[in-house]
Amino acid sequence: ITYTGGLKGAPNKPTAVSAKVVDALGRPLSGYTVTFVIGSQSKTAVTDANGVAATTITLTQKPGFYQLTASWPGDAGKYLGDSTSAQFSLNKK
């Protein structure tokens, strides 16, 4: 899983988040749920034919830096789950 969305946002404004899920050979995996977590808020999206899960989160938290995590549970017997994280800036320079 690779996070492909933005790393900055403003309070009470929709923030676009997205991630791409591929198998070990780099082929996109469709139909899998990806969970995005920024601070105390989360949202899910399902991967499309290109392996991309995209949605928006309207953050109601105070301005600051938050851990952003994108994860998917995998598929038992086929794929191991994975997650990636980054620092998200909510209205901070």
Side-chain angles (χ1 to χ4, degrees):
I1 187 168
T2 305
Y3 181 72
T4 56
L7 294 173
K8 291 183 179 167
N12 302 310
K13 300 268 193 277
T15 300
V17 291
S18 59
K20 184 166 188 173
V21 179
V22 296
D23 68 10
L25 299 176
R27 296 177 299 209
L29 299 177
S30 65
Y32 290 99
T33 300
V34 172
T35 302
F36 299 95
V37 179
I38 301 175
S40 63
Q41 292 179 249
S42 66
K43 188 107 180 244
T44 60
V46 176
T47 56
D48 63 15
N50 297 314
V52 175
T55 188
T56 59
I57 299 178
T58 300
L59 297 168
T60 58
Q61 299 165 101
K62 292 180 178 170
F65 294 101
Y66 294 94
Q67 170 127 342
L68 177 150
T69 305
S71 60
W72 76 293
D75 190 342
K78 284 187 178 178
Y79 305 109
L80 294 173
D82 196 11
S83 67
T84 183
S85 45
Q87 181 173 287
F88 185 88
S89 170
L90 184 59
N91 214 31
K92 290 280 189 184
K93 300 275 186 244

